[in-house]
Every structure is written in C-alpha cells, then in structure tokens.
Amino acid sequence: MTATEPATGTDLLDAVADLGAALRQSLEASTSTTASAAQLREAAAGIRAATAPLAALPRPYDKLPAVDDMARAVRVFNPVVGVGSGVAVPLDLRPDPAGGGVVARAALGQRYEGPPTFLHGGISALLMDQVLGHAAIAANRWGMTVGLDVRYRRPVPLHVTVRLAGRVAAIDGRRTTVVGTIAADDAPDVALVEATAVFVSPSPEVAARYFAGVRTASGEQVSGRVGTG
Ligand SMILES: CCCCCCCC/C=C\CCCCCCCC(=O)SCCNC(=O)CCNC(=O)[C@H](O)C(C)(C)COP(=O)(O)OP(=O)(O)OC[C@H]1O[C@@H](n2cnc3c(N)ncnc32)[C@H](O)[C@@H]1OP(=O)(O)O
C-alpha cells in the first residue's frame, strides 16, 4: 500500500480512475496533435456531449468524494496525485527505500510544457509542494504550506523519466521544514530543481474554522487527523 494509492479497489474507484486516464489522454493529445480545425471541432463537440451528463450530477464542494480516504491522505481528485484528476500526472508517491521521505518517478508530457520541450516552472513548484507535503504526512506532520522556495538549476526535460523526492529536514513546534529535488532518474544526484517548503499544522481553532463545514461522503465531519497509517 502506498501513500497515494486509494484504499480499496471498488467499481466506483475503478471508473473514476478510468475517466481520469481518459481525460489525461485527451489533454495530452490536445496539446500535441496536428489535427485539422474540423477534427478539433468534432473532438470538442464529442467532449462537450460526454461532459453534460456528469455536470448534471454535481457534488457540493464541501462534501468529499466517496472514493477519498482522508485517514490515509488519499485524495482521488488531487491535481498532482489524484487518479481521477485530468490535470494530475498522477504521481505515485512511495516511501523512499533509501531511507526517510517519499519518492516518485514520472515522465511529464506536453500538457505541462513551459519553455519549448521543457517543464513549466509553475508545474515544478506544484509537484514539489505536493511531494514535500506527502513527505511531511509520511512523518505524521500534516500541515498547510506557508512557504515554498524553488530553485531552478537546470530545465526539466519533458518525456524523460524524472525522480521527485522529499524528506523532512527539521521539526519545530507546529512547523515542519521539508526539502526535495527533481532530477533525471538516471542522474539522481544532479538536481534540476531544488525545493524547500515549510508546512504548519493549523491550531485546532483554526482547523475547526477552516474545515468545520467539510463532510465525508457518509456525512462525518472531517477531523484534523490525517496520516498515512
Ligand atoms: C481537518 C483537515 C483535514 C485536511 C486533510 C488534508 C489531506 C491532505 C492529503 C493530501 C494532500 C497532501 C499534500 C498537500 C500539498 C499542498 C498543500 C497546500 O496547498 S496548502 C494550501 C496553501 N496554504 C495555505 O493556504 C495556508 C495559509 N496559511 C494559514 O492559513 C495559516 O498560516 C496556518 C493555518 C497555516 C497557520 O495559522 P495558525 O493560526 O494555526 O498558526 P500561527 O500561529 O499563525 O503559526 C504557527 C507557527 O507557524 C509559524 N509560521 C507561520 N507562517 C510561517 C511562515 N510563512 N514561515 C515560517 N513559519 C511560519 C508561526 O510563526 C508559528 O510559529 P511559532 O509557534 O510562533 O514558533
């Protein structure tokens, strides 16, 4: 069982993951196709037709999806790790066997392009925020990001397997400092991106104020207890 893998293989979860994969294929194809204007319009019409029945059955945004598992920090529509998200990679974060922290490998596609043939820097920051956040959670230190420092040493190539890693560097009260890198998988010691994030666990009063209205699919209030256990 991994940090980001959903708890159970239900039919709904399988379907959510299947739609997520189709959405990602669609986004990738739309950013890398040479199709004609007529072909693009036909695709747009088909996608709109497929979307309408989903949009007719909305879920309130303060009600968590039935497929989420907050106790294990599994969020199925998370924009980085969520298997149901069209914009997610999705990253498959696992405990780092080299000791401490978490690690994932992925090849990033053209839908994440910034400079031609390279990853968008904002996407690197997004990925690092999530990876470092999971490293904090893996150390039982869930918190909200209060600071994220990203150093872009070299551009991250698209379509090449990269290694994304994070580990807790310091703990101070409710503050957790986490460091991490993005590197080519075949040169893991040469950081292309270096990041440091500070996560702060909200005080109980603040957590209650922020999340009091949030309910799980079965109607339970969401507690501040988030972990990977
Ligand atoms: C019931 C909850 C369930 C949730 C379940 C989640 C499951 C997750 C699963 C999977 C995802 C995992 C991965 C996610 C990755 C992405 C994370 C994000 O995108 S987070 C969104 C962006 N971040 C914000 O919107 C924060 C905005 N900031 C705030 O709301 C507040 O600053 C908050 C709540 C974080 C802290 O507020 P205070 O009132 O509780 O605490 P104060 O007293 O201000 O600070 C506490 C300590 O932290 C230090 N601190 C505060 N800000 C700091 C900063 N910028 N740098 C350094 N230290 C700072 C302070 O100096 C203080 O330290 P001293 O106790 O005095 O030593």
Side-chain angles (χ1 to χ4, degrees), residues 3-4 64 69-75 78 80-81 93 126-137 142-148 172-177 198-212 214 221-227:
T4 49
L64 299 179
D69 181 355
M70 292 298 272
R72 297 175 57 256
V74 174
R75 306 230 47 214
N78 175 282
V80 179
V81 296
L93 282 161
L126 171 69
L127 300 181
M128 283 283 89
D129 190 12
Q130 188 75 30
V131 170
L132 304 189
H134 276 276
I137 289 173
W142 178 79
M144 298 178 80
T145 318
V146 298
L148 178 63
D172 175 18
R174 286 194 276 127
R175 208 168 24 217
T176 306
T177 303
V198 177
F199 298 91
V200 170
S201 303
S203 64
E205 303 74 46
V206 170
R209 184 149 46 83
Y210 285 179
F211 305 115
V214 180
Q221 198 167 353
V222 176
S223 79
R225 172 74 181 88
V226 177

Side-chain angles (χ1 to χ4, degrees), residues 78-142:
N78 175 282
V80 179
V81 296
V83 293
S85 167
V87 299
V89 178
L91 286 187
D92 181 14
L93 282 161
R94 292 163 183 269
D96 186 351
V102 296
V103 65
R105 287 177 176 78
L108 289 319
Q110 271 148 276
R111 62 193 190 274
Y112 302 122
E113 187 176 64
T117 74
F118 294 112
L119 187 64
H120 192 293
I123 299 292
S124 292
L126 171 69
L127 300 181
M128 283 283 89
D129 190 12
Q130 188 75 30
V131 170
L132 304 189
H134 276 276
I137 289 173
N140 266 315
R141 299 280 304 178
W142 178 79

Side-chain angles (χ1 to χ4, degrees), residues 3 54 57 66 89 92 99 106 131 154 161 173 184 201 215 220 224:
L54 308 184
L57 296 166
V89 178
D92 181 14
V131 170
R154 296 283 181 275
T161 301
S201 303
R215 294 285 184 278
E220 292 153 21

